[in-house]
Amino acid sequence: MNQLILNNCNTIFPIISDQSCDAIIIDPPYEIQYETQYNSFQWNDNKILDWNFLFTQYKRILKNTGNLIIFQGWSNVCETINIGKQYFMLKNWIIWARIKCRGAKTNFGSDREDILWFNKSNNYTFNKIYSNTPKKTGGLGLKNGQKNRSLTNVWYDLSPVVPWSQEYTSYPCQKPIQLMERIITIFTNPGDLILDSFCGSGSTLIAAKNLGRNYIGIDNNPEAIKICENRLNACHI
């Protein structure tokens, strides 16, 4: 537990025990046909991840009460769902509305990222929380004692990491710690073990450490591991 591993996840999977992880939370490459200096993942000839292999391993590693959370881009999310449903039950399809969109000259700007929630059984961890958005009405609107709105499957109350964010690392597609803390709070309990086999800049690992969860982080990019190490060392919780 609490291991950061520089390697291809395909190599590490065989030494992870069956049903050992309470949650698997991954933000893999979105398979959108371009590469960056950090993008050293193992692609096939069509620039597609081997999802059948990944889902087979995740099903083996995940506890029966666990949750599998996958970030995906809109252009490939349906394909990922179709493959994933051969191995897991799709519990929900969450949209993170990032507020700040990615510009496009010949298409709509994109301010969404898709978050897929899979599980193995109807007995899964789920901790209900509320959004960061205050209710606009009193009276019956406060009947449950909560001042904020219910959390739906469209998350529009969390901003992305931008160059002027305090947590900015310059790593591509860095997720905000606040977002990962929400996911970990909902889908795990204190002391649980979380696997992130595409850990990138380490936001999931930082959030896990902040919230008293254990983690295994894997990435085959030395620069990513270096960033993760620096961020974890700076986290004194």
Side-chain angles (χ1 to χ4, degrees):
M1 289 192 281
N2 301 326
Q3 295 289 312
L4 186 59
I5 302 169
L6 172 60
N7 212 318
N8 188 303
C9 60
N10 296 1
T11 303
I12 301 301
F13 285 146
I15 63 175
I16 301 178
S17 300
D18 294 358
Q19 298 192 40
S20 58
C21 293
D22 298 281
I24 299 171
I25 302 172
I26 61 168
D27 181 17
Y30 285 177
E31 304 162 284
I32 49 180
Q33 308 297 318
Y34 72 85
E35 298 187 14
T36 73
Q37 60 178 317
Y38 298 106
N39 195 352
S40 58
F41 297 104
Q42 298 298 311
W43 303 96
N44 65 21
D45 292 339
N46 296 317
K47 297 291 184 183
I48 299 297
L49 292 170
D50 188 347
W51 280 107
N52 281 296
F53 174 79
L54 290 172
F55 279 119
T56 297
Q57 293 300 313
Y58 294 149
K59 185 173 183 178
R60 178 185 65 80
I61 292 167
L62 189 66
K63 291 181 180 179
N64 289 332
T65 56
N67 293 298
L68 169 61
I69 308 298
I70 301 176
F71 281 80
Q72 207 17 306
W74 67 267
S75 58
N76 286 294
V77 67
C78 291
E79 288 82 355
T80 305
I81 289 172
N82 288 337
I83 299 172
K85 287 172 70 174
Q86 299 175 40
Y87 301 86
F88 293 92
M89 296 183 292
L90 178 66
K91 187 63 180 179
N92 214 315
W93 179 352
I94 302 161
I95 303 298
W96 174 37
R98 295 158 28 96
I99 303 172
K100 185 179 186 300
C101 76
R102 301 183 181 94
K105 292 182 179 179
T106 59
N107 203 338
F108 299 107
S110 177
D111 74 342
R112 67 178 281 175
E113 293 195 40
D114 299 81
I115 305 172
L116 304 176
W117 170 22
F118 292 100
N119 46 43
K120 294 174 71 172
S121 72
N122 290 321
N123 181 23
Y124 51 85
T125 298
F126 181 80
N127 300 305
K128 183 178 177 63
I129 66 172
Y130 289 81
S131 74
N132 297 324
T133 305
K135 294 177 180 177
K136 293 184 179 180
T137 59
L140 291 177
L142 298 177
K143 65 180 180 179
N144 62 356
Q146 295 293 330
K147 294 182 179 180
N148 289 353
R149 293 182 177 179
S150 294
L151 190 64
T152 71
N153 60 1
V154 179
W155 296 355
Y156 47 80
D157 58 338
L158 297 174
S159 299
V161 175
V162 292
W164 51 91
S165 300
Q166 185 175 0
E167 62 187 283
Y168 179 70
T169 67
S170 80
Y171 195 90
C173 305
Q174 179 185 346
K175 297 300 185 289
I177 293 174
Q178 187 180 26
L179 171 64
M180 304 318 299
E181 286 183 341
R182 170 176 288 180
I183 290 172
I184 288 172
T185 298
I186 294 171
F187 297 115
T188 70
N189 295 312
D192 280 357
L193 176 60
I194 299 168
L195 169 66
D196 183 354
S197 57
F198 298 90
C199 66
S201 64
S203 294
T204 299
L205 312 185
I206 299 296
K209 188 174 181 180
N210 287 346
L211 296 171
R213 275 68 165 174
N214 299 296
Y215 60 83
I216 300 172
I218 307 170
D219 205 289
N220 68 349
N221 187 331
E223 183 66 21
I225 294 297
K226 181 179 179 180
I227 291 172
C228 287
E229 287 178 339
N230 290 338
R231 298 181 77 194
L232 286 166
N233 288 336
C235 179
H236 300 297
I237 296 178

